[in-house]
């Protein structure tokens, strides 16, 4: 009788185990950027390795994603097992206790830790995701900002793009290339309101025009000559030489315009270099050129630093499955899989691993921009982004929890100026008042 009983118990245990494995479902929230859409498309490859984990996706535009994830994670609702979070949120959310620390999970999963190799992550990128010695997210891609230009349009206009352009040069180039009747616009820039959209770009412009959000006493500095100069330049340039309806254009919309040959120049995220070099999605593969982000009156803060990362909210009940997914999607194995799928190493998620930049295939495919991208990411210093001293870190944002709302509010004011609903002076006054209100209510002003 013993053997049948043992067999029965074993079968029962196996059935329970099988049921448990089959019930392992994770929900992933991510932004609708091309790299993340590729990640979603490669879900079957993840399931080849982990057939016991079912993956569900919530893919949203950047602004909407931020609101939804922040609300869910802050309330502990537990709707998401994996969240796509930016470099701005990770340290704030870690200190709030909203994210699971990953360092203990790597310690618990020796085999994954060995193949993943945390030390391969570019040191500055890893540091930005580490709080009190614990890693709280893993980078999906990291970026700075740079200038993209259409070499065919430049050649036709008799222009040459320098490696380190100034904003005055860029505006002059835009004037000569702008041919709206032919569907060609001199320059494309972010106009869509949002702290991570138009304000990410515009804050780098403010920095390099000599401005800052706050002085060392947290007094707002948005009604200063530097802000007025930057805002006047931005509005004039886009109104005269940009595409119509610029307030609807964020990263994704401008990427489409640039890749279709409709923009003479575009200043935006370095991650776009791979997309513009991908013959599957770009018509300017042979004519796209690359240069550093333009400089105004100072090189400080002219190019941003950002990373999109995968993290595990504290509220998840699928911690192990979530950990398997985030380590798979940010691994060297995944990067090689994207290269194989896309047919080119130029399209892999950039900016995260030293091994990518040492890879001969990547050097061959991305040689036109890889060193410029790595240099831009390495040089971007979140502690030295402005000409004058400031009490905060961050290049294209102010690293305080309240900035998400403040940046979006000022972004809406900026879009109002761009669309002609308000003057520059009216916009600056509204922005100044909003920044001072935030600093007072947040307890920063003494």
């Amino acid at each position: 009788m013993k053997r049948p009983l043992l067999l029965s118990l074993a079968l029962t245990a196996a059935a329970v185990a099988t049921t448990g494995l089959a019930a392992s479902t994770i929900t992933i929230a991510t932004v609708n950027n091309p790299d993340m859409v590729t990640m979603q498309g490669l879900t079957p490859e993840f399931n080849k390795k982990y057939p016991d984990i079912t993956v569900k996706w919530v893919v949203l535009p950047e602004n909407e994603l931020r609101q939804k994830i922040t609300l869910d994670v802050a309330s502990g609702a537990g709707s998401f097992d994996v969240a796509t979070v930016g470099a701005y949120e990770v340290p704030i959310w870690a200190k709030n206790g909203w994210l699971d620390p990953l360092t203990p999970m790597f310690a618990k999963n020796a085999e994954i830790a060995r193949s993943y190799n945390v030390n391969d992550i570019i040191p500055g990128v890893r540091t930005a995701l580490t709080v009190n010695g614990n890693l709280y997210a893993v980078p999906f891609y990291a970026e700075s900002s740079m200038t993209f230009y259409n070499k065919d349009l430049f050649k036709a206009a008799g222009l040459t793009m320098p490696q380190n352009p100034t904003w005055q040069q860029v505006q002059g180039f835009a004037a000569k290339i702008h041919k709206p009747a032919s569907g060609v616009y001199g320059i494309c820039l972010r106009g869509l309101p949002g702290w991570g959209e138009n304000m990410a770009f515009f804050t780098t412009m403010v920095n390099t025009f000599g401005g800052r959000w706050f002085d060392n006493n947290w007094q707002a500095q948005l009604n200063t000559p530097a802000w007025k100069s930057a805002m006047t330049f931005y509005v004039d340039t886009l109104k005269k030489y940009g595409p119509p309806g610029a307030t609807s254009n964020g990263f994704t919309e401008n990427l489409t315009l640039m890749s279709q040959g409709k923009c003479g120049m575009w200043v935006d995220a370095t991650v776009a270099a791979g997309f513009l070099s991908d013959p599957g999605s770009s018509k300017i593969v042979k004519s796209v050129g690359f240069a550093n982000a333009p400089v105004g009156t100072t090189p400080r803060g002219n190019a941003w630093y950002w990373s999109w990362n995968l993290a595990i909210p504290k509220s998840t009940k699928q911690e192990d499955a979530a950990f398997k997914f985030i380590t798979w999607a940010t691994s060297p194995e995944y990067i090689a899989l994207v290269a194989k799928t896309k047919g080119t190493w130029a399209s892999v998620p950039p900016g995260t691993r030293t091994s990518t930049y040492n890879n001969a295939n990547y050097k061959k495919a991305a040689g036109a921009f890889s060193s410029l991208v790595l240099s831009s990411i390495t040089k971007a210093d979140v502690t030295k982004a402005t000409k004058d001293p400031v009490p905060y870190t961050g290049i294209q944002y102010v690293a305080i929890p309240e900035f998400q709302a403040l940046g979006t509010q000022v972004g809406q004011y900026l879009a109002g100026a761009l669309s002609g609903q308000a003057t520059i002076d009216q916009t600056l006054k509204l922005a100044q008042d909003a920044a001072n209100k935030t600093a007072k209510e947040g307890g920063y002003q003494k």
Side-chain angles (χ1 to χ4, degrees), residues 246-296:
T247 56
S248 297
N249 294 343
F251 170 81
T252 304
E253 294 78 10
N254 283 323
L255 172 62
T256 300
L257 287 169
M258 186 73 196
S259 64
Q260 298 302 306
K262 295 184 179 298
C263 307
M265 292 169 288
W266 178 36
V267 181
D268 213 294
T270 55
V271 70
F275 306 142
L276 296 172
S277 303
D278 182 353
S281 58
S282 172
K283 293 182 178 178
I284 61 166
V285 172
K286 295 182 179 178
S287 58
V288 62
F290 311 95
N292 283 309
V295 171

Side-chain angles (χ1 to χ4, degrees), residues 142-444:
E143 64 182 29
S144 182
S145 52
M146 64 194 290
T147 304
F148 306 96
Y149 65 101
N150 188 314
K151 291 189 286 189
D152 288 344
L153 295 176
F154 265 64
K155 185 178 179 181
L159 301 172
T160 301
M161 173 66 80
Q163 189 68 10
N164 298 294
T166 66
W167 270 113
Q168 290 297 334
Q169 286 176 313
V170 165
Q171 190 184 59
F173 297 154
K176 293 182 178 177
I177 292 171
H178 193 57
K179 301 279 189 303
S182 302
V184 173
Y185 309 102
I187 189 165
C188 297
L189 299 171
R190 295 188 187 193
L192 184 68
W195 76 268
E197 286 282 6
N198 61 347
M199 291 313 296
F201 164 77
F202 183 66
T203 299
T204 65
M205 183 175 272
V206 168
N207 294 337
T208 196
F209 274 66
R212 54 184 170 167
W213 278 82
F214 297 98
D215 68 11
N216 264 346
N217 295 315
W218 287 97
Q219 297 296 318
Q221 300 294 302
L222 283 70
N223 60 351
T224 56
W227 267 78
K228 185 168 184 176
S229 177
M231 192 174 289
T232 301
F233 188 92
Y234 166 80
V235 170
D236 283 352
T237 302
L238 261 184
K239 276 186 173 178
K240 290 178 179 175
Y241 313 122
T247 56
S248 297
N249 294 343
F251 170 81
T252 304
E253 294 78 10
N254 283 323
L255 172 62
T256 300
L257 287 169
M258 186 73 196
S259 64
Q260 298 302 306
K262 295 184 179 298
C263 307
M265 292 169 288
W266 178 36
V267 181
D268 213 294
T270 55
V271 70
F275 306 142
L276 296 172
S277 303
D278 182 353
S281 58
S282 172
K283 293 182 178 178
I284 61 166
V285 172
K286 295 182 179 178
S287 58
V288 62
F290 311 95
N292 283 309
V295 171
T297 59
T298 171
R300 285 284 183 93
N302 70 317
W304 68 62
Y305 168 77
W306 184 253
S307 62
W308 276 117
N309 315 283
L310 300 181
I312 303 175
K314 200 81 172 175
S315 52
T316 182
K317 292 181 171 39
Q318 302 292 341
E319 183 182 88
D320 288 343
F323 182 69
K324 287 175 180 173
F325 183 86
I326 68 170
T327 49
W328 172 80
T330 61
S331 65
E333 169 194 357
Y334 176 85
I335 291 172
L337 176 63
V338 173
K340 181 181 176 183
T341 303
K342 294 278 191 178
T344 172
W345 273 83
S347 298
V348 303
T352 60
R353 288 182 170 273
T354 302
S355 58
T356 300
Y357 291 88
N358 291 333
N359 185 296
N361 291 319
Y362 185 73
K363 288 179 179 178
K364 183 178 178 182
F369 59 81
S370 63
S371 60
L372 195 154
V373 170
L374 183 60
S375 168
S376 297
I377 292 172
T378 304
K379 284 190 299 186
D381 188 343
V382 298
T383 67
K384 296 176 182 174
T386 57
K387 178 174 70 67
D388 297 316
V390 294
Y392 56 84
T393 60
I395 297 176
Q396 74 276 27
Y397 54 79
V398 177
I400 57 174
E402 296 84 355
F403 184 76
Q404 192 169 164
L406 172 62
T408 295
Q409 186 176 9
V410 175
Q412 289 166 345
Y413 295 151
L414 179 62
L418 183 58
S419 63
Q421 296 175 2
T423 66
I424 299 295
D425 287 336
Q426 289 169 337
T427 302
L428 289 172
K429 182 178 187 314
L430 289 171
Q432 170 80 359
D433 291 347
N436 268 329
K437 184 170 184 285
T438 296
K440 285 177 185 172
E441 292 180 352
Y444 299 97

